Amino acid sequence: MSLTDMAIARIRELIRAGALPPGSRLPPERQLAAELGLSRNPMREAVKALVVARVLEVRRGDGTYVTSLTPGVLLGNLAGTVELLTGDTLVELIETRRLLEPAATELAAARIDDAALAELARHLDAMRASRHSPEQFNLHDAAFHRTVAAATGNETLVTLLEGIAGRTLRARVRRGTVDGGAADRAVAEHEAIHRALAARDVPLARAAALMHVTTTENWLRTHLRRPEDGDRATTPAGTARVAP
């Protein structure tokens, strides 16, 4: 283990032990290095690494603080990492969504309130009105799913789903430009999810969400070529389109 890695581990241990709770200010660099028995250079590099990881934040003119350490902060860079996935890993991403989203919808069915149901209805109306505009359609599609996730009250689940949303959103946009009937089917699938949530029917909500996500997954499996073909998707007629 390098000295920098050792410094990172020791600062993390201070945080885990409660010596540096969320929102607390780190001691001055010289003092912290002395307390941990390390030189200032690896301590400085450790702080930089933990800032990138969103464990620490530097407030100019004030010092370095432990962040809130909430899922939204610590997992907030997941989307940037997901953007680097290529080839068949896009299908793996959809598989992950298939595992998480039905569970989130099931949980939402037991917790959703009338305000969230009304918001879902508004996004459904917007989706019906934008059937011929894949970009707009899928923006409301994504907002629909964010609302469902938020209704769970589980910030970790919300953050994970939001982290994979960017790539899956673009996959759905590509599907909309290729498959002329995709929008109508997607509306029907979202309507089924909304009805199940409005009825607070937990198993039906999970089943409706699973059917919806599986439809997208099956489309991708059909139209994505192997990564050695350049990470591209094809239409049924064989016309290549760059996969998201």
Side-chain angles (χ1 to χ4, degrees), residues 34 42 59-60 73 79 93 95 113 119 125 130 132 136 188 237:
R59 302 178 187 175
R60 291 187 179 278
V73 171
L93 197 64
E95 288 179 344
D113 58 24
E119 185 175 353
D125 287 341
S130 58
H132 303 294
Q136 284 299 312

Side-chain angles (χ1 to χ4, degrees), residues 187-222:
V187 167
E189 290 164 5
H190 284 79
E191 288 172 342
I193 293 171
H194 183 255
R195 284 194 300 271
L197 291 172
R200 272 73 174 186
D201 189 325
V202 172
L204 184 59
R206 182 185 184 95
L210 179 59
M211 179 175 292
H212 170 56
V213 178
T214 301
T215 299
T216 302
E217 181 183 346
N218 288 341
W219 187 90
L220 278 173
R221 287 185 181 279
T222 301

